[in-house]
Amino acid sequence: MLPRALSEVKVIYPTTLIGVTDKSFQPTIAGLRAFVAVAEKQHFGSAATTLGLSQSTLSQALATLETGLDTHLVERSTRRVRVTPEGIKLLPLAQAVVEAAEAFTAAAAGTSDPLQGGMRLGMIPTVAPYVLPAVLAGLAQQLPALTLRVIEDQTERLLTSLREGALDAALISLPAAAAGVTAIPIYDEDFVLALPAGHPLSGKHRVPVAALAQLPLLLLDEGHCLRDQALDVCQKAGVHAELADTRAASLATAVQCVTGGLGVTLIPQSAAPVEAARSNLGLAQFAAPRPGRRIGLVFRSSSGRDESYRRLAGFIGELVSSEHKVRLAK
């Protein structure tokens, strides 16, 4: 008699269950596309043409899908193709997967090309109000797939947001003293002297920068690059400017202070038409070489999107120069 332990030993033979789908099988997008195309066209030749495949490649992709599922999806004959009852049941799911894959690919394309999707674009306050009308209207026509979100702020905060990833790019005055940032010069513009209406210098075209020594100069608040640029103009000309007691938080406020007789200020050429149209303002041009500034587009050097941003900078330059007296940067 065999020992009890041995008598209870069971031998299990491997068993294959016929007709049960391999649970590890994962359909490929190629297989699902083949099935959807054949089901919709009901013709292998037409389906292959739609997908840009040879008919043999299409047939192989569909056969691989049916084998993996252990299910016949279509009935083939010499004259026509008919979707099986099982295929009719699975077709909507296959179509949904194919559509989702196409949507994923389109979204990925938009992510890799910032001009094909959403973009967070920063602008300094002395640029945004004056160039946005032309830029937004023009980009809507030239880059219809681009969705802009504009953030207006001072230069340092824009650069911080750019480095931290809260912005994609920014339109600022150059140079940009920031590590890891690439700058693309777009256009140069002169500074114009804004004066109270009726001022003796109003309408003049060759005002020496040295004249600022006898004029109360209104400046923007700390943090505005235009403030630093105005002081730099004076310093380079060897002028000790008489600073007015009033300081403004915006260029529009500075202009209103000028019209009220509180002093004079420097405004960019692109702002001159707008500010002169809404205020009783006098304007004067400086003598050559005229002081001015350079505006450019900055973005993270690590973004790998140089080509796209250079295209955007080119578009912006064309749009701004078509509306304002600026010179495209070389």
Side-chain angles (χ1 to χ4, degrees), residues 193-233:
L193 182 60
L195 307 143
H199 192 280
L201 293 178
S202 181
K204 301 295 183 182
H205 294 279
R206 295 183 179 85
V207 177
V209 175
L212 292 174
Q214 286 78 44
L215 299 171
L217 183 61
L218 282 164
L219 296 175
L220 296 182
D221 282 340
E222 298 282 352
H224 287 278
C225 58
L226 187 56
R227 171 191 174 88
D228 299 330
Q229 290 161 349
L231 293 173
D232 187 55
V233 167

mmCIF file of all heavy atoms in Angstrom, residues 193-233:
data_model
loop_
_atom_site.group_PDB
_atom_site.id
_atom_site.type_symbol
_atom_site.label_atom_id
_atom_site.label_comp_id
_atom_site.label_asym_id
_atom_site.label_seq_id
_atom_site.Cartn_x
_atom_site.Cartn_y
_atom_site.Cartn_z
ATOM 1 N N LEU A 193 9.835 113.150 -26.752
ATOM 2 C CA LEU A 193 9.674 114.003 -25.580
ATOM 3 C C LEU A 193 8.220 114.478 -25.511
ATOM 4 O O LEU A 193 7.719 115.122 -26.440
ATOM 5 C CB LEU A 193 10.619 115.204 -25.677
ATOM 6 C CG LEU A 193 10.603 116.189 -24.501
ATOM 7 C CD1 LEU A 193 10.991 115.483 -23.194
ATOM 8 C CD2 LEU A 193 11.533 117.364 -24.776
ATOM 9 N N ALA A 194 7.548 114.104 -24.430
ATOM 10 C CA ALA A 194 6.155 114.503 -24.214
ATOM 11 C C ALA A 194 6.136 115.750 -23.348
ATOM 12 O O ALA A 194 6.728 115.788 -22.269
ATOM 13 C CB ALA A 194 5.376 113.375 -23.550
ATOM 14 N N LEU A 195 5.430 116.788 -23.823
ATOM 15 C CA LEU A 195 5.420 118.099 -23.183
ATOM 16 C C LEU A 195 3.988 118.596 -23.005
ATOM 17 O O LEU A 195 3.077 118.148 -23.721
ATOM 18 C CB LEU A 195 6.169 119.107 -24.056
ATOM 19 C CG LEU A 195 7.589 118.746 -24.500
ATOM 20 C CD1 LEU A 195 7.838 119.236 -25.902
ATOM 21 C CD2 LEU A 195 8.584 119.350 -23.525
ATOM 22 N N PRO A 196 3.773 119.555 -22.105
ATOM 23 C CA PRO A 196 2.442 120.178 -22.050
ATOM 24 C C PRO A 196 2.145 120.896 -23.361
ATOM 25 O O PRO A 196 3.052 121.416 -24.020
ATOM 26 C CB PRO A 196 2.579 121.171 -20.892
ATOM 27 C CG PRO A 196 3.742 120.698 -20.088
ATOM 28 C CD PRO A 196 4.680 120.061 -21.069
ATOM 29 N N ALA A 197 0.898 120.896 -23.748
ATOM 30 C CA ALA A 197 0.515 121.578 -24.983
ATOM 31 C C ALA A 197 0.910 123.049 -24.903
ATOM 32 O O ALA A 197 0.760 123.702 -23.866
ATOM 33 C CB ALA A 197 -0.992 121.445 -25.209
ATOM 34 N N GLY A 198 1.463 123.566 -25.995
ATOM 35 C CA GLY A 198 1.872 124.965 -26.026
ATOM 36 C C GLY A 198 3.277 125.210 -25.517
ATOM 37 O O GLY A 198 3.750 126.356 -25.516
ATOM 38 N N HIS A 199 3.973 124.151 -25.091
ATOM 39 C CA HIS A 199 5.350 124.312 -24.624
ATOM 40 C C HIS A 199 6.220 124.775 -25.792
ATOM 41 O O HIS A 199 6.002 124.359 -26.937
ATOM 42 C CB HIS A 199 5.865 122.981 -24.069
ATOM 43 C CG HIS A 199 7.146 123.092 -23.321
ATOM 44 N ND1 HIS A 199 8.375 123.173 -23.941
ATOM 45 C CD2 HIS A 199 7.398 123.142 -21.975
ATOM 46 C CE1 HIS A 199 9.317 123.253 -23.036
ATOM 47 N NE2 HIS A 199 8.752 123.236 -21.829
ATOM 48 N N PRO A 200 7.217 125.645 -25.540
ATOM 49 C CA PRO A 200 8.073 126.153 -26.623
ATOM 50 C C PRO A 200 8.757 125.062 -27.447
ATOM 51 O O PRO A 200 9.049 125.271 -28.629
ATOM 52 C CB PRO A 200 9.103 127.013 -25.884
ATOM 53 C CG PRO A 200 8.414 127.421 -24.629
ATOM 54 C CD PRO A 200 7.517 126.286 -24.259
ATOM 55 N N LEU A 201 9.003 123.887 -26.865
ATOM 56 C CA LEU A 201 9.677 122.811 -27.607
ATOM 57 C C LEU A 201 8.703 121.931 -28.380
ATOM 58 O O LEU A 201 9.135 121.086 -29.180
ATOM 59 C CB LEU A 201 10.491 121.937 -26.646
ATOM 60 C CG LEU A 201 11.701 122.600 -25.969
ATOM 61 C CD1 LEU A 201 12.378 121.608 -25.015
ATOM 62 C CD2 LEU A 201 12.692 123.101 -27.016
ATOM 63 N N SER A 202 7.404 122.093 -28.134
ATOM 64 C CA SER A 202 6.421 121.244 -28.791
ATOM 65 C C SER A 202 6.497 121.397 -30.308
ATOM 66 O O SER A 202 6.523 122.517 -30.837
ATOM 67 C CB SER A 202 5.017 121.598 -28.304
ATOM 68 O OG SER A 202 4.055 120.774 -28.922
ATOM 69 N N GLY A 203 6.558 120.285 -31.011
ATOM 70 C CA GLY A 203 6.621 120.295 -32.463
ATOM 71 C C GLY A 203 8.027 120.359 -33.017
ATOM 72 O O GLY A 203 8.213 120.218 -34.235
ATOM 73 N N LYS A 204 9.028 120.533 -32.179
ATOM 74 C CA LYS A 204 10.414 120.600 -32.637
ATOM 75 C C LYS A 204 10.901 119.200 -33.032
ATOM 76 O O LYS A 204 10.445 118.192 -32.500
ATOM 77 C CB LYS A 204 11.321 121.171 -31.555
ATOM 78 C CG LYS A 204 10.962 122.573 -31.087
ATOM 79 C CD LYS A 204 11.142 123.588 -32.185
ATOM 80 C CE LYS A 204 10.851 125.013 -31.686
ATOM 81 N NZ LYS A 204 10.983 126.028 -32.747
ATOM 82 N N HIS A 205 11.863 119.136 -33.966
ATOM 83 C CA HIS A 205 12.363 117.855 -34.472
ATOM 84 C C HIS A 205 13.836 117.612 -34.156
ATOM 85 O O HIS A 205 14.345 116.539 -34.455
ATOM 86 C CB HIS A 205 12.160 117.778 -35.988
ATOM 87 C CG HIS A 205 10.710 117.742 -36.387
ATOM 88 N ND1 HIS A 205 9.946 116.608 -36.350
ATOM 89 C CD2 HIS A 205 9.875 118.741 -36.794
ATOM 90 C CE1 HIS A 205 8.712 116.877 -36.736
ATOM 91 N NE2 HIS A 205 8.645 118.171 -37.011
ATOM 92 N N ARG A 206 14.518 118.575 -33.563
ATOM 93 C CA ARG A 206 15.942 118.400 -33.261
ATOM 94 C C ARG A 206 16.264 118.932 -31.863
ATOM 95 O O ARG A 206 17.163 119.744 -31.677
ATOM 96 C CB ARG A 206 16.804 119.111 -34.309
ATOM 97 C CG ARG A 206 16.687 118.522 -35.710
ATOM 98 C CD ARG A 206 17.614 119.233 -36.695
ATOM 99 N NE ARG A 206 17.513 118.643 -38.020
ATOM 100 C CZ ARG A 206 16.599 118.974 -38.920
ATOM 101 N NH1 ARG A 206 15.681 119.896 -38.614
ATOM 102 N NH2 ARG A 206 16.574 118.413 -40.110
ATOM 103 N N VAL A 207 15.526 118.454 -30.898
ATOM 104 C CA VAL A 207 15.743 118.881 -29.518
ATOM 105 C C VAL A 207 16.947 118.132 -28.953
ATOM 106 O O VAL A 207 16.971 116.902 -28.952
ATOM 107 C CB VAL A 207 14.508 118.611 -28.652
ATOM 108 C CG1 VAL A 207 14.778 118.987 -27.198
ATOM 109 C CG2 VAL A 207 13.302 119.355 -29.194
ATOM 110 N N PRO A 208 17.984 118.850 -28.474
ATOM 111 C CA PRO A 208 19.137 118.158 -27.892
ATOM 112 C C PRO A 208 18.751 117.505 -26.562
ATOM 113 O O PRO A 208 17.929 118.044 -25.813
ATOM 114 C CB PRO A 208 20.149 119.283 -27.686
ATOM 115 C CG PRO A 208 19.332 120.524 -27.579
ATOM 116 C CD PRO A 208 18.133 120.307 -28.460
ATOM 117 N N VAL A 209 19.340 116.351 -26.291
ATOM 118 C CA VAL A 209 19.047 115.670 -25.031
ATOM 119 C C VAL A 209 19.429 116.549 -23.852
ATOM 120 O O VAL A 209 18.812 116.472 -22.770
ATOM 121 C CB VAL A 209 19.798 114.316 -24.977
ATOM 122 C CG1 VAL A 209 19.604 113.647 -23.621
ATOM 123 C CG2 VAL A 209 19.308 113.391 -26.086
ATOM 124 N N ALA A 210 20.412 117.423 -24.045
ATOM 125 C CA ALA A 210 20.856 118.312 -22.970
ATOM 126 C C ALA A 210 19.737 119.217 -22.480
ATOM 127 O O ALA A 210 19.788 119.730 -21.350
ATOM 128 C CB ALA A 210 22.039 119.161 -23.460
ATOM 129 N N ALA A 211 18.685 119.383 -23.282
ATOM 130 C CA ALA A 211 17.566 120.231 -22.862
ATOM 131 C C ALA A 211 16.854 119.664 -21.643
ATOM 132 O O ALA A 211 16.147 120.387 -20.930
ATOM 133 C CB ALA A 211 16.577 120.400 -24.014
ATOM 134 N N LEU A 212 17.033 118.375 -21.389
ATOM 135 C CA LEU A 212 16.377 117.754 -20.228
ATOM 136 C C LEU A 212 16.895 118.315 -18.915
ATOM 137 O O LEU A 212 16.232 118.182 -17.878
ATOM 138 C CB LEU A 212 16.593 116.226 -20.255
ATOM 139 C CG LEU A 212 15.896 115.463 -21.385
ATOM 140 C CD1 LEU A 212 16.320 113.996 -21.386
ATOM 141 C CD2 LEU A 212 14.386 115.571 -21.267
ATOM 142 N N ALA A 213 18.072 118.942 -18.961
ATOM 143 C CA ALA A 213 18.638 119.507 -17.730
ATOM 144 C C ALA A 213 17.786 120.658 -17.207
ATOM 145 O O ALA A 213 17.811 120.962 -16.008
ATOM 146 C CB ALA A 213 20.068 119.986 -17.986
ATOM 147 N N GLN A 214 17.039 121.320 -18.087
ATOM 148 C CA GLN A 214 16.213 122.462 -17.679
ATOM 149 C C GLN A 214 14.731 122.105 -17.557
ATOM 150 O O GLN A 214 13.891 122.989 -17.377
ATOM 151 C CB GLN A 214 16.369 123.615 -18.688
ATOM 152 C CG GLN A 214 17.693 124.377 -18.619
ATOM 153 C CD GLN A 214 18.816 123.629 -19.285
ATOM 154 O OE1 GLN A 214 18.642 123.089 -20.374
ATOM 155 N NE2 GLN A 214 19.965 123.577 -18.626
ATOM 156 N N LEU A 215 14.400 120.820 -17.671
ATOM 157 C CA LEU A 215 12.998 120.417 -17.646
ATOM 158 C C LEU A 215 12.736 119.455 -16.492
ATOM 159 O O LEU A 215 13.531 118.545 -16.249
ATOM 160 C CB LEU A 215 12.620 119.732 -18.960
ATOM 161 C CG LEU A 215 12.767 120.580 -20.236
ATOM 162 C CD1 LEU A 215 12.584 119.708 -21.466
ATOM 163 C CD2 LEU A 215 11.755 121.723 -20.228
ATOM 164 N N PRO A 216 11.638 119.645 -15.765
ATOM 165 C CA PRO A 216 11.285 118.694 -14.692
ATOM 166 C C PRO A 216 10.862 117.356 -15.302
ATOM 167 O O PRO A 216 9.830 117.284 -15.976
ATOM 168 C CB PRO A 216 10.133 119.373 -13.955
ATOM 169 C CG PRO A 216 9.533 120.304 -14.969
ATOM 170 C CD PRO A 216 10.647 120.736 -15.876
ATOM 171 N N LEU A 217 11.649 116.316 -15.099
ATOM 172 C CA LEU A 217 11.430 115.022 -15.760
ATOM 173 C C LEU A 217 10.571 114.115 -14.892
ATOM 174 O O LEU A 217 10.946 113.770 -13.763
ATOM 175 C CB LEU A 217 12.776 114.361 -16.051
ATOM 176 C CG LEU A 217 12.749 113.032 -16.815
ATOM 177 C CD1 LEU A 217 12.120 113.209 -18.194
ATOM 178 C CD2 LEU A 217 14.162 112.456 -16.934
ATOM 179 N N LEU A 218 9.445 113.725 -15.431
ATOM 180 C CA LEU A 218 8.570 112.767 -14.751
ATOM 181 C C LEU A 218 9.046 111.354 -15.057
ATOM 182 O O LEU A 218 9.299 111.011 -16.217
ATOM 183 C CB LEU A 218 7.132 112.915 -15.232
ATOM 184 C CG LEU A 218 6.321 114.088 -14.676
ATOM 185 C CD1 LEU A 218 5.092 114.315 -15.534
ATOM 186 C CD2 LEU A 218 5.920 113.808 -13.243
ATOM 187 N N LEU A 219 9.127 110.523 -14.034
ATOM 188 C CA LEU A 219 9.566 109.140 -14.215
ATOM 189 C C LEU A 219 8.484 108.174 -13.758
ATOM 190 O O LEU A 219 7.644 108.509 -12.909
ATOM 191 C CB LEU A 219 10.847 108.877 -13.424
ATOM 192 C CG LEU A 219 12.087 109.663 -13.838
ATOM 193 C CD1 LEU A 219 13.224 109.364 -12.862
ATOM 194 C CD2 LEU A 219 12.505 109.325 -15.252
ATOM 195 N N LEU A 220 8.528 106.962 -14.302
ATOM 196 C CA LEU A 220 7.647 105.902 -13.818
ATOM 197 C C LEU A 220 8.192 105.343 -12.510
ATOM 198 O O LEU A 220 9.353 105.587 -12.140
ATOM 199 C CB LEU A 220 7.541 104.790 -14.865
ATOM 200 C CG LEU A 220 6.905 105.168 -16.198
ATOM 201 C CD1 LEU A 220 6.827 103.952 -17.111
ATOM 202 C CD2 LEU A 220 5.513 105.763 -16.007
ATOM 203 N N ASP A 221 7.371 104.586 -11.817
ATOM 204 C CA ASP A 221 7.789 103.995 -10.542
ATOM 205 C C ASP A 221 8.947 103.031 -10.726
ATOM 206 O O ASP A 221 9.227 102.555 -11.834
ATOM 207 C CB ASP A 221 6.608 103.240 -9.902
ATOM 208 C CG ASP A 221 5.636 104.190 -9.235
ATOM 209 O OD1 ASP A 221 6.019 105.338 -8.928
ATOM 210 O OD2 ASP A 221 4.472 103.782 -9.026
ATOM 211 N N GLU A 222 9.604 102.718 -9.623
ATOM 212 C CA GLU A 222 10.675 101.721 -9.621
ATOM 213 C C GLU A 222 10.163 100.402 -10.200
ATOM 214 O O GLU A 222 9.029 99.998 -9.948
ATOM 215 C CB GLU A 222 11.161 101.467 -8.181
ATOM 216 C CG GLU A 222 11.766 102.677 -7.495
ATOM 217 C CD GLU A 222 13.189 102.956 -7.961
ATOM 218 O OE1 GLU A 222 13.744 102.111 -8.704
ATOM 219 O OE2 GLU A 222 13.740 104.004 -7.585
ATOM 220 N N GLY A 223 11.006 99.759 -10.990
ATOM 221 C CA GLY A 223 10.650 98.475 -11.585
ATOM 222 C C GLY A 223 10.283 98.584 -13.042
ATOM 223 O O GLY A 223 10.339 97.586 -13.767
ATOM 224 N N HIS A 224 9.904 99.771 -13.491
ATOM 225 C CA HIS A 224 9.606 99.970 -14.912
ATOM 226 C C HIS A 224 10.915 100.209 -15.662
ATOM 227 O O HIS A 224 11.703 101.088 -15.285
ATOM 228 C CB HIS A 224 8.675 101.167 -15.117
ATOM 229 C CG HIS A 224 7.259 100.918 -14.703
ATOM 230 N ND1 HIS A 224 6.351 100.271 -15.520
ATOM 231 C CD2 HIS A 224 6.598 101.220 -13.559
ATOM 232 C CE1 HIS A 224 5.178 100.197 -14.894
ATOM 233 N NE2 HIS A 224 5.309 100.759 -13.709
ATOM 234 N N CYS A 225 11.138 99.449 -16.706
ATOM 235 C CA CYS A 225 12.384 99.601 -17.454
ATOM 236 C C CYS A 225 12.481 100.970 -18.113
ATOM 237 O O CYS A 225 13.583 101.501 -18.307
ATOM 238 C CB CYS A 225 12.527 98.492 -18.488
ATOM 239 S SG CYS A 225 11.187 98.396 -19.688
ATOM 240 N N LEU A 226 11.335 101.580 -18.434
ATOM 241 C CA LEU A 226 11.367 102.893 -19.067
ATOM 242 C C LEU A 226 11.936 103.945 -18.116
ATOM 243 O O LEU A 226 12.574 104.906 -18.561
ATOM 244 C CB LEU A 226 9.964 103.294 -19.529
ATOM 245 C CG LEU A 226 9.864 104.575 -20.359
ATOM 246 C CD1 LEU A 226 10.755 104.495 -21.594
ATOM 247 C CD2 LEU A 226 8.422 104.839 -20.764
ATOM 248 N N ARG A 227 11.746 103.773 -16.830
ATOM 249 C CA ARG A 227 12.345 104.684 -15.845
ATOM 250 C C ARG A 227 13.859 104.616 -15.931
ATOM 251 O O ARG A 227 14.546 105.645 -16.029
ATOM 252 C CB ARG A 227 11.871 104.315 -14.441
ATOM 253 C CG ARG A 227 12.597 105.066 -13.328
ATOM 254 C CD ARG A 227 12.278 104.472 -11.958
ATOM 255 N NE ARG A 227 13.082 105.111 -10.922
ATOM 256 C CZ ARG A 227 12.728 106.211 -10.278
ATOM 257 N NH1 ARG A 227 11.585 106.804 -10.569
ATOM 258 N NH2 ARG A 227 13.506 106.725 -9.345
ATOM 259 N N ASP A 228 14.381 103.379 -15.900
ATOM 260 C CA ASP A 228 15.829 103.208 -15.967
ATOM 261 C C ASP A 228 16.383 103.716 -17.297
ATOM 262 O O ASP A 228 17.481 104.286 -17.354
ATOM 263 C CB ASP A 228 16.188 101.733 -15.781
ATOM 264 C CG ASP A 228 15.738 101.191 -14.433
ATOM 265 O OD1 ASP A 228 15.689 101.988 -13.464
ATOM 266 O OD2 ASP A 228 15.435 99.992 -14.342
ATOM 267 N N GLN A 229 15.636 103.525 -18.368
ATOM 268 C CA GLN A 229 16.096 103.959 -19.685
ATOM 269 C C GLN A 229 16.145 105.483 -19.772
ATOM 270 O O GLN A 229 17.061 106.052 -20.367
ATOM 271 C CB GLN A 229 15.192 103.379 -20.774
ATOM 272 C CG GLN A 229 15.366 101.877 -20.943
ATOM 273 C CD GLN A 229 14.193 101.225 -21.663
ATOM 274 O OE1 GLN A 229 13.146 101.841 -21.872
ATOM 275 N NE2 GLN A 229 14.361 99.970 -22.028
ATOM 276 N N ALA A 230 15.160 106.165 -19.171
ATOM 277 C CA ALA A 230 15.151 107.624 -19.181
ATOM 278 C C ALA A 230 16.358 108.171 -18.413
ATOM 279 O O ALA A 230 17.028 109.115 -18.863
ATOM 280 C CB ALA A 230 13.855 108.141 -18.575
ATOM 281 N N LEU A 231 16.660 107.571 -17.267
ATOM 282 C CA LEU A 231 17.826 108.002 -16.503
ATOM 283 C C LEU A 231 19.115 107.702 -17.251
ATOM 284 O O LEU A 231 20.081 108.482 -17.194
ATOM 285 C CB LEU A 231 17.826 107.302 -15.134
ATOM 286 C CG LEU A 231 16.689 107.719 -14.179
ATOM 287 C CD1 LEU A 231 16.701 106.842 -12.933
ATOM 288 C CD2 LEU A 231 16.813 109.199 -13.805
ATOM 289 N N ASP A 232 19.129 106.585 -17.975
ATOM 290 C CA ASP A 232 20.308 106.223 -18.755
ATOM 291 C C ASP A 232 20.538 107.216 -19.897
ATOM 292 O O ASP A 232 21.671 107.552 -20.223
ATOM 293 C CB ASP A 232 20.138 104.808 -19.305
ATOM 294 C CG ASP A 232 21.399 104.290 -19.982
ATOM 295 O OD1 ASP A 232 22.457 104.287 -19.329
ATOM 296 O OD2 ASP A 232 21.322 103.898 -21.163
ATOM 297 N N VAL A 233 19.458 107.672 -20.513
ATOM 298 C CA VAL A 233 19.570 108.683 -21.571
ATOM 299 C C VAL A 233 20.243 109.938 -21.030
ATOM 300 O O VAL A 233 21.151 110.504 -21.668
ATOM 301 C CB VAL A 233 18.171 109.021 -22.145
ATOM 302 C CG1 VAL A 233 18.220 110.281 -23.009
ATOM 303 C CG2 VAL A 233 17.631 107.855 -22.945
#
